[in-house]
Amino acid sequence: KTYGVMDINPPKCNDIYYINFLIAASNVFSCTEAARCYPNVANAPSHDSFTRLLQRQPPDTESLWEEVKNYVKPEEGYLIVDDSTLDKPYAEEMAFVRRMWSGKHHRTVKGIGLVTLVWTDGKTVIPIDFRIYNIDVDDKTKNDHFRDMLDKAEERGFNPKFVLFDTWYASVKNLKTIRKKEWHFLTRLKNNRLVNPDNKGNVPLETVDIPPKGRVVHLKAYGFVKVFRIVSKDGDTQHWVTDVQEMDEAEREDLAKKSWKIEEYHRGIKQFCGVEKCQARKEESQRAHIMFSLRAFLRLELQRIKSGISWFESAMKIRRVAVTAYLNNPL
């Protein structure tokens, strides 16, 4: 931005200032702490500078896309969609916070629902879009956000080999949305989903005989799909489904492993980017903090791909310098 004569006080900090702070910080991720951590020099950003930075960010996700688009290959790779709950156990009157189910805690908790679309080639994982679950304001379910992000991905030129997602997003409407784009999918179905295996009528999926190599059945209201039954050592049963009827078990297993990349991403943004640690109450600040956390994660991931250094080691290399400085001269 070019500042004119009426712009008396141009911003003293930009997004890179805050992103670098998120990468280096360990426990406290507030604007006050960010200002305290910056060198005590002339024109150093203040607490208010960081606060204004968060509040002036646009509500869309274009700045994330502008940064990541040079590191993805839209005509290749895979798109993965999943959501995660950002824990906010002590939040009072904080934007986006509601009670929702947490897979981490296996119960209902207070938090912010973050739905993310990531791209992967099987090695790297890069967030390309996200939505915040805020149904009381925008009247959109997580499945609405799912379709919105896929539409935006198509608009941006993506043509993935597969779209990978969890049971929650396996509705007929979502599956038809993917089919309309002429993309392929792999997901899981609940045991009670109705299928017609032998043209004799719909029955619950859990009652169908499915050999190890999978079986082609007709999914109610959708069409023919191939289903696989996977039984774990502890007896837990999962039903995987794809529109690619020629898929074999080896390919299904490989795609299932690739879909796990988004779980690794969730762990990364929480442990190393402070995504759920923002203490601000306003919508603009919470949304911007999440955006900057994902852009911080991008830097850690690119560093991992370039040098082979894990996210943990990248963070520790920064913090180790501070510990060494203290040990050299204990206060």
Side-chain angles (χ1 to χ4, degrees):
K1 178 181 177 180
T2 301
Y3 295 93
V5 294
M6 297 302 294
D7 294 304
I8 301 175
N9 295 310
K12 290 186 177 180
C13 68
N14 57 34
D15 48 359
I16 304 303
Y17 282 62
Y18 194 78
I19 291 170
N20 287 340
F21 165 70
L22 293 179
I23 293 174
S26 57
N27 293 311
V28 181
F29 296 85
S30 66
C31 293
T32 300
E33 187 64 17
R36 287 171 176 168
C37 290
Y38 264 85
N40 186 20
V41 296
N43 296 321
S46 65
H47 159 264
D48 289 340
S49 297
F50 282 106
T51 300
R52 288 192 291 269
L53 171 71
L54 295 182
Q55 293 179 355
R56 68 171 178 261
Q57 299 304 307
D60 56 45
T61 59
E62 288 303 314
S63 64
L64 173 65
W65 171 243
E66 285 300 315
E67 189 160 45
V68 306
K69 66 181 182 181
N70 294 324
Y71 303 103
V72 300
K73 298 177 181 178
E75 293 292 331
E76 303 176 15
Y78 310 84
L79 294 179
I80 315 174
V81 184
D82 199 8
D83 60 89
S84 183
T85 300
L86 308 182
D87 288 349
K88 298 288 184 180
Y90 309 112
E92 297 293 339
E93 300 182 3
M94 182 178 287
F96 305 124
V97 174
R98 60 191 305 116
R99 297 202 68 86
M100 61 183 66
W101 177 259
S102 169
K104 171 184 175 181
H105 300 288
H106 301 289
R107 58 183 173 85
T108 302
V109 300
K110 290 171 65 177
I112 295 176
L114 176 64
V115 189
T116 312
L117 176 66
V118 305
W119 175 89
T120 183
D121 58 3
K123 298 178 181 179
T124 184
V125 54
I126 295 181
I128 62 172
D129 206 351
F130 75 90
R131 298 290 187 273
I132 298 175
Y133 180 57
N134 193 26
I135 192 170
D136 294 332
V137 174
D138 58 24
D139 200 33
K140 287 193 174 184
T141 66
K142 291 180 181 179
N143 284 289
D144 290 328
H145 292 311
F146 175 94
R147 293 187 292 273
D148 286 348
M149 289 192 294
L150 290 188
D151 288 344
K152 178 60 72 171
E154 183 180 38
E155 179 183 318
R156 289 168 171 167
F158 279 89
N159 184 27
K161 295 178 181 178
F162 277 88
V163 182
L164 311 172
F165 46 96
D166 205 353
T167 311
W168 182 273
Y169 300 98
S171 68
V172 169
K173 188 174 183 179
N174 288 350
L175 300 186
K176 287 184 176 180
T177 295
I178 296 172
R179 181 169 63 188
K180 186 176 181 180
K181 299 180 187 302
E182 298 183 351
W183 296 350
H184 299 298
F185 66 82
L186 177 71
T187 184
R188 286 180 288 173
L189 295 179
K190 292 183 178 180
N191 295 339
N192 62 356
R193 288 292 289 269
L194 296 179
V195 298
N196 189 338
D198 49 17
N199 203 29
K200 294 181 180 180
N202 291 315
V203 296
L205 183 57
E206 62 185 348
T207 67
V208 177
D209 181 33
I210 302 175
K213 65 179 181 180
R215 180 174 181 176
V216 175
V217 299
H218 187 276
L219 178 63
K220 182 180 179 181
Y222 175 79
F224 287 99
V225 296
K226 189 168 188 177
V227 293
F228 298 85
R229 176 175 290 145
I230 308 301
V231 181
S232 64
K233 293 181 180 179
D234 60 5
D236 182 42
T237 300
Q238 295 182 346
H239 290 99
W240 292 79
V241 61
T242 178
D243 62 317
V244 180
Q245 299 177 29
E246 301 79 19
M247 183 180 293
D248 58 25
E249 168 56 19
E251 184 179 6
R252 183 214 64 82
E253 185 177 12
D254 178 66
L255 289 172
K257 289 180 179 178
K258 287 182 171 65
S259 71
W260 189 254
K261 284 292 182 181
I262 198 166
E263 299 298 338
E264 298 175 359
Y265 152 82
H266 286 151
R267 175 172 57 85
I269 61 174
K270 291 180 179 180
Q271 292 185 5
F272 306 113
C273 304
V275 70
E276 57 187 357
K277 299 295 185 179
C278 181
Q279 302 174 14
R281 294 186 177 185
K282 293 185 177 181
E283 285 190 10
E284 299 88 345
S285 298
Q286 280 290 343
R287 185 184 291 107
H289 175 88
I290 292 172
M291 170 82 75
F292 290 147
S293 295
L294 270 55
R295 292 174 63 187
F297 172 84
L298 173 67
R299 285 155 172 77
L300 292 175
E301 177 66 352
L302 294 178
Q303 175 74 357
R304 183 185 70 83
I305 296 300
K306 179 181 178 180
S307 65
I309 299 176
S310 68
W311 307 329
F312 174 80
E313 182 58 25
S314 289
M316 287 306 300
K317 285 181 68 176
I318 298 171
R319 298 163 193 173
R320 200 173 289 129
V321 173
V323 175
T324 300
Y326 173 79
L327 294 178
N328 284 333
N329 184 26
L331 298 179

